[in-house]
Amino acid sequence: MGAIKDMGRQLHQIERVSYEDAFLIGDLLTTRTTILSGEPKAGKTLLSAGMGTALLNGEPTFLGQPVHRKLDHIVFGVTDDGAPEELKERLHGAVPDDAVTIFPVMDPGVSDYWAGIAADLVDMQPGLFVLDNLLGALAPGEDIASSVTAQRIMRSLRPISEAGIPTLLVTHTPKGTAEGMSVSSSPIGGRAIAAGARGLIALRNSGKHGRRIQTASNRAREDLDLRVTVRRAGESSEVPVWERAEPHLKVVGLPKVKPWDEDLLARIVEEQPEETTYKALALRYAPMVGRKWETVRPKLSDALERVDGHWARKPDATA
């Protein structure tokens, strides 16, 4: 059998993923693989810690972007000498101690090293895996600037995100990177690295322009271009507090997409199907929207009601 016959699926066999399920933090951190790149000392680890704190605490927003999911556990794989102790100081007192696991990454160059890490993560099922950083995770003798190396490491890490574990890869841009460099070409390794990710974050830091976050992500409603600041939470604390440096978000606008449930609700009201229960409705329409009926049913019960033998929008659920 060929690859298409073995692995090909038709549209109705693929479950749809809503926008909210595609991002942990709206337009910033995806639920698949996201790459965070920046020059040395730009604040990449601080940004990772800031996003992790917002997710573990279930904060409503981070840098003005909605936090779509509260996490119970994050695993950090770190490569730099002293990184575990530094990361602890940046999270100490801000999140529960048992909500974070930190382990050293030291690839000895054996073929099953990353497969073992993936197996451990699948067993632990954290809400996020952070690898800080990609350069330090290479096997001896490898060069991230080589497209062969870049593709090898991205293939090694892919099973983690495919297992449903969101993955944030922290890496470097060349020192002295020009301001005009595109987001997709900013990591060392360039497009060979970027091609393996669903989301890209470029963190830039210059004396003239200050800190700036730019993004390019699949499914994003907007590509972000944020001027930001970071400060310590207190005189004796190294916990980072990230804030927007300007009142309004600069974005590159993308077309707004109507939520899938709004189209479905309008369709039901128009068609007036014969089903009289939410479960029956969900079972009928779930295949049409590419979702499980258990996902569709609460959307229907929240927004629809049966009035005089007809389906109608609830007064407080009008689009």
Side-chain angles (χ1 to χ4, degrees):
M1 300 292 285
I4 297 176
K5 291 183 178 180
D6 288 344
M7 302 184 67
R9 291 181 292 168
Q10 295 182 336
L11 282 177
H12 71 275
Q13 297 173 306
I14 302 172
E15 185 174 352
R16 295 180 63 185
V17 177
S18 68
Y19 167 81
E20 290 79 9
D21 289 334
F23 288 89
L24 293 179
I25 301 176
D27 293 352
L28 184 64
L29 182 59
T30 76
T31 54
R32 299 290 291 188
T33 297
T34 306
I35 293 176
L36 166 59
S37 65
E39 295 181 17
K41 311 304 180 184
K44 301 182 293 298
T45 300
L46 292 175
L47 182 56
S48 301
M51 290 190 288
T53 298
L55 289 162
L56 289 172
N57 290 332
E59 296 175 9
T61 62
F62 178 77
L63 290 177
Q65 302 305 111
V67 175
H68 292 304
R69 191 182 304 178
K70 182 183 184 301
L71 305 185
D72 296 322
H73 188 203
I74 296 177
V75 173
F76 286 84
V78 296
T79 64
D80 291 347
D81 183 34
E85 292 77 14
E86 291 180 5
L87 187 57
K88 177 175 181 176
E89 293 305 314
R90 288 161 179 171
L91 297 172
H92 180 65
V95 300
D97 287 343
D98 60 359
V100 175
T101 298
I102 304 171
F103 76 98
V105 173
M106 295 176 288
D107 187 347
V110 296
S111 59
D112 60 350
Y113 179 75
W114 284 105
I117 289 178
D120 286 345
L121 289 170
V122 169
D123 184 60
M124 298 170 70
Q125 282 297 306
L128 176 66
F129 170 56
V130 181
L131 176 58
D132 187 5
N133 59 68
L134 202 56
L135 272 65
L138 300 180
E142 289 189 319
D143 181 0
I144 195 64
S146 163
S147 61
V148 174
T149 296
Q151 292 169 7
R152 197 280 303 173
I153 188 68
M154 296 306 292
R155 284 197 301 268
S156 297
L157 293 167
R158 186 174 179 179
I160 299 172
S161 63
E162 287 183 338
I165 301 169
T167 302
L168 175 63
L169 306 180
V170 180
T171 190
H172 291 75
T173 58
K175 191 171 179 62
T177 299
E179 192 69 20
M181 178 174 280
S182 69
V183 176
S184 61
S185 62
S186 59
I188 296 177
R191 298 186 187 279
I193 290 289
R198 300 289 291 179
L200 303 169
I201 305 170
L203 177 61
R204 311 187 192 281
N205 187 19
S206 68
K208 180 180 179 180
H209 299 286
R211 280 189 169 89
R212 182 177 171 187
I213 291 175
Q214 295 175 302
T215 67
S217 299
N218 292 20
R219 300 288 307 277
R221 291 174 175 171
E222 294 149 333
D223 288 336
L224 305 180
D225 188 350
L226 307 176
R227 297 195 183 279
V228 298
T229 62
V230 61
R231 59 177 175 82
R232 294 184 175 190
E235 290 185 4
S236 59
S237 172
E238 295 184 29
V239 174
V241 177
W242 287 85
E243 297 168 318
R244 294 260 292 276
E246 52 192 347
H248 299 293
L249 177 68
K250 294 182 180 179
V251 300
V252 178
L254 298 176
K256 297 291 185 182
V257 179
K258 183 183 290 187
W260 65 268
D261 54 304
E262 285 298 325
D263 283 335
L264 176 58
L265 296 170
R267 179 174 178 174
I268 292 173
V269 171
E270 179 181 356
E271 294 181 353
Q272 289 299 318
E274 61 185 13
E275 284 80 4
T276 59
T277 67
Y278 295 119
K279 181 177 180 179
L281 271 184
L283 288 169
R284 172 173 176 170
Y285 284 96
M288 301 180 191
V289 294
R291 284 175 165 76
K292 297 178 180 178
W293 75 266
E294 295 93 341
T295 301
V296 174
R297 187 185 184 283
K299 295 287 187 180
L300 301 182
S301 61
D302 288 345
L304 295 179
E305 62 182 351
R306 193 80 172 161
V307 179
D308 297 330
H310 293 83
W311 289 106
R313 294 293 294 262
K314 291 181 178 179
D316 59 349
T318 304

